[in-house]
Amino acid sequence: MLDDEPGRKRRRLGVHPIVAQRQQKGQFHKLYNDLRQDANKFKSYCRMSIETFDYLLICLYPDLNFVDTSMQRSISAEQRLLVTLRFLATGNLFASLHFEFLLGISTISGIRRSTCKVIWQRLREAVKPTPTAADWLRIVDGFYQSAQFPNCIGALDGKHIRVKKPPHSGSRYFNYKQYFSVVLMALADSNYKFVIVDIGAYGSTSDSRILSASRMGERLRQNQLALPEPSRLPGSAGPLAPFVIVADKGFSFSPHLMRPFPRRDLDVRKRIFNYRLTRARRYVECAFGILSSKWRVFQSSIQMKPDNVTLVIEACVMLHNFTRIHDASTDADLGLNMTSSVSLDLRRPGPPGTAGLAVREIFADYFSCPEGALSWQMDAIRGSH
């Protein structure tokens, strides 16, 4: 027979004896039902409650369920989802998951890839829809209630996701922190949910350039984000103020993007503005912290090709919002209704950022006047001096 020819490599058929015991010894079959008897252990294992897991499974089931064949039994939708969540929650290598679930390494890789893609496609419109004017107003009210920053539609920042250096990529992925990364650029609301994201930019690219090249940046420049019309700040009879994004000094000014005053020559008024802006901007930093703490795949270098890294980030962003809504949501129908028929012409002549500087002055004046001041802000800036 051909298999007995000298020098010919014998072909392996079937499955490994250890993998063949998946139904008896695999972690899914031995542990899953026991975990469902303990809500705290289940949440620690899957990073979500039993109820949220079940609802997520219902949402994804049509794309994760496969029929058995005469050759083999299919892997259930529950197990596919559990394997993917466990990978995202721990960042374990596929070789480690292979011994836990007794699935082939290539099978686990395929399950992870397909399930992450399904999570992004199925949940995107439900947990991260394109914001409408009413959505922006709810976000504005959330920031005003929690951070006392009016007319704020979100906090913006970029997070570097550590990755293995892609072949033949040169220094494109090498960032200023001295490691290889791709960037997750995100706009977050006051409930630590991601409103708009841009995923996959090179680590060497600055935040300002990423925003400028992103679809969000383009829509912001062209006034296509369905933002509410400018309005006066609460309790103020001063000029109209546009609705703005708060960010750090890594971003360029625009009429809708506020950054802090430079550290040099700061007077009290400017320090108050920087303090108030920082209080609002922290929400995106906290959102990134929650994301990394829950989905620990981000706590070490992701050993994948860039397109697979993008799928992982997309899935985690969707799961982050999904669990914020169903496990830790403080959302309420705020019913905020602020409309104005008066328009504000922000396309004034001058160098780029001139209009943004003028808008920042409006907010700085407001935060230092009786209508916009906080009782503790002077103590806060003295303590940080």
Side-chain angles (χ1 to χ4, degrees), residues 11 70 104 107 152 171 173 197 204 209 249 285 317 340 385:
R11 184 182 177 187
S70 57
T107 302
C152 178
S171 61
Y173 291 89
V197 295
S204 62
R209 289 179 59 191
K249 62 182 181 180
E285 296 176 352
V317 166
S340 171
H385 186 54

Side-chain angles (χ1 to χ4, degrees), residues 80-338:
R80 288 174 177 272
L81 181 56
L82 197 71
V83 168
T84 303
L85 292 179
R86 196 61 187 157
F87 166 71
L88 299 176
T90 63
N92 284 352
L93 297 175
F94 293 157
S96 297
L97 296 173
H98 158 69
F99 289 108
E100 293 176 21
F101 290 92
L102 301 185
L103 291 165
I105 292 177
S106 61
T107 302
I108 291 173
S109 177
I111 287 173
R112 187 274 315 157
R113 181 180 178 85
S114 61
T115 306
C116 284
K117 189 179 296 185
V118 168
I119 289 172
W120 172 257
Q121 293 172 344
R122 283 278 178 176
L123 299 185
R124 184 169 49 184
E125 290 304 317
V127 305
K128 197 186 70 61
T130 301
T132 64
D135 294 327
W136 291 125
L137 288 172
R138 280 191 286 270
I139 293 171
V140 166
D141 190 74
F143 272 103
Y144 188 59
Q145 296 297 326
S146 59
Q148 293 77 51
F149 199 109
N151 286 28
C152 178
I153 60 170
L156 180 69
D157 204 358
K159 176 177 176 58
H160 286 271
I161 308 296
R162 190 185 294 264
V163 298
K164 176 183 177 181
K165 180 183 183 296
H168 315 298
S169 61
S171 61
R172 285 177 294 179
Y173 291 89
F174 197 68
N175 64 38
Y176 70 96
K177 299 181 180 180
Q178 307 298 302
Y179 60 82
F180 296 95
S181 67
V182 297
V183 179
L184 164 61
M185 179 76 66
L187 183 72
D189 67 12
S190 61
N191 193 37
Y192 311 109
K193 292 190 297 182
F194 298 120
V195 181
I196 301 176
V197 295
D198 182 84
I199 299 169
Y202 297 138
S204 62
T205 311
S206 68
D207 286 344
S208 182
R209 289 179 59 191
I210 293 172
L211 177 63
S212 179
S214 70
R215 186 164 178 259
M216 174 174 60
E218 180 181 356
R219 294 178 65 196
L220 190 63
R221 287 192 302 272
Q222 298 179 0
N223 295 319
Q224 294 179 348
L225 285 179
L227 298 181
E229 294 184 23
S231 65
R232 288 183 173 84
L233 300 178
S236 170
L240 299 174
F243 289 82
V244 298
I245 294 167
V246 293
D248 62 22
K249 62 182 181 180
F251 293 88
S252 299
F253 257 122
S254 82
H256 292 290
L257 196 148
M258 294 292 97
R259 51 179 278 180
F261 286 101
R263 289 183 178 272
R264 63 183 183 277
D265 301 325
L266 285 178
D267 57 22
V268 172
R269 174 175 163 277
K270 292 178 180 179
R271 290 175 61 201
I272 289 174
F273 174 85
N274 285 359
Y275 167 69
R276 298 287 291 272
L277 182 137
T278 300
R279 293 186 75 248
R281 188 172 57 82
R282 65 183 176 175
Y283 283 90
V284 67
E285 296 176 352
C286 291
F288 286 145
I290 294 169
L291 178 76
S292 296
S293 178
K294 184 182 289 285
W295 308 110
R296 297 190 176 184
V297 67
F298 296 128
Q299 295 192 1
S300 60
S301 178
I302 303 178
Q303 304 295 303
M304 295 178 183
K305 295 179 180 179
D307 59 336
N308 285 327
V309 173
T310 297
L311 286 176
V312 166
I313 299 172
E314 288 175 343
C316 288
V317 166
M318 292 299 100
L319 292 171
H320 171 90
N321 278 13
F322 191 82
T323 54
R324 292 301 302 169
I325 293 170
H326 297 285
D327 277 344
S329 176
T330 57
D331 291 349
D333 184 9
L334 301 171
L336 185 63
N337 183 19
M338 292 173 57

Side-chain angles (χ1 to χ4, degrees), residues 60 86 259 355-356 360 364 371:
L60 307 181
R86 196 61 187 157
R259 51 179 278 180
R360 185 170 66 180
E371 293 79 13

